[in-house]
Amino acid sequence: MSRGPALTLRFVQLVVGLFLYGASTALQVRAVVGVSSWTVLTEGLERVVPWSFGLITVVSSGVILLLWIPLRQRPGIGTLLNALAIGPSADLVLWLVPSPDGLWARIGLFVAGLLLLAVATAFYIGAGFGTGARDGLMVGLHDRLGWPVWLARTVVEVSVVIVGWILGGDVGVGTVIAAFAIGPVVQPLMPVFRRFPWSPERAGSARRGLEARPTSASEVA
């Protein structure tokens, strides 16, 4: 696939993945069975510093990016769009989707949101434009330390929940389930969304194959 169309398809993959990421966050909020780990941390920080929820989210993103330095992660356009796109998409889905009545309906919505979050994470990261600040920790631990994706994600999620809970953030059953489940769910999806015909990894593999291929009969001999 030529570079122009491939780049366009990668950008579409990025935008769709980020929209789904925001939508998944909204579904979990509407389920009302426990907020995500990072929301627990933000709620806890609200009790410590006199800042708004949004300001804490922005500042914490900056602090998290500093942790990228020892992990040798580099921000990309996906990092910027992550901050700009997820919030509005979450607001849109929150406006469209009300909280369901009944415990089983809320549990179903939570599970749907959790699965969608895993798909969205693998989808937008697979586009190759860089991760959001928080997902970058998972990728950095995987790349730098060789940890499996599921282990890196679980360590990050559980650590964030513990710190947020100590600071006074609200923890529910859904929070605990998500902290331990999201990593193993994301793990098998990561390679899938990195193997589209337009993905940078496929393009790199094709180039390496062409470079390794003999160019004349004499080279074959």
Side-chain angles (χ1 to χ4, degrees):
M1 179 176 290
S2 61
R3 185 173 182 179
L7 186 62
T8 300
L9 290 171
R10 284 175 56 203
F11 187 77
V12 171
Q13 180 180 340
L14 170 67
V15 173
V16 171
L18 292 177
F19 175 82
L20 295 178
Y21 198 108
S24 69
T25 301
L27 294 182
Q28 292 182 59
V29 170
R30 285 292 186 234
V32 198
V33 293
V35 296
S36 66
S37 58
W38 290 102
T39 303
V40 173
L41 178 61
T42 302
E43 289 178 346
L45 290 172
E46 276 188 300
R47 300 176 182 271
V48 178
V49 296
W51 298 343
S52 68
F53 188 94
L55 180 57
I56 291 174
T57 301
V58 173
V59 173
S60 62
S61 295
V63 173
I64 293 167
L65 285 174
L66 294 178
L67 299 177
W68 283 28
I69 297 174
L71 295 175
R72 299 181 182 177
Q73 292 294 295
R74 294 182 179 181
I77 188 174
T79 308
L80 175 61
L81 289 180
N82 184 288
L84 297 177
I86 288 178
S89 66
D91 285 341
L92 175 61
V93 176
L94 284 170
W95 177 68
L96 292 172
V97 179
S99 292
D101 296 325
L103 178 60
W104 288 110
R106 289 190 285 115
I107 291 175
L109 189 63
F110 171 79
V111 172
L114 184 63
L115 294 176
L116 185 60
L117 175 62
V119 171
T121 300
F123 202 70
Y124 94 84
I125 291 177
F129 285 110
T131 66
R134 292 156 181 80
D135 286 325
L137 293 181
M138 171 188 69
V139 175
L141 290 171
H142 170 67
D143 292 342
R144 180 74 171 140
L145 302 181
W147 292 4
V149 170
W150 72 265
L151 177 60
R153 183 64 181 254
T154 301
V155 168
V156 171
E157 295 282 326
V158 173
S159 300
V160 168
V161 168
I162 292 173
V163 173
W165 176 70
I166 292 174
L167 293 176
D170 295 327
V171 175
V173 175
T175 305
V176 178
I177 293 174
F180 285 98
I182 188 64
V185 176
V186 170
Q187 170 89 42
L189 294 175
M190 291 289 288
V192 174
F193 293 109
R194 283 175 166 168
R195 291 174 181 170
F196 288 133
W198 58 83
S199 70
E201 290 191 10
R202 282 287 296 272
S205 298
R207 284 195 297 270
R208 289 191 294 271
L210 289 174
E211 291 170 357
R213 185 179 302 166
T215 56
S216 67
S218 61
E219 289 180 53
V220 175

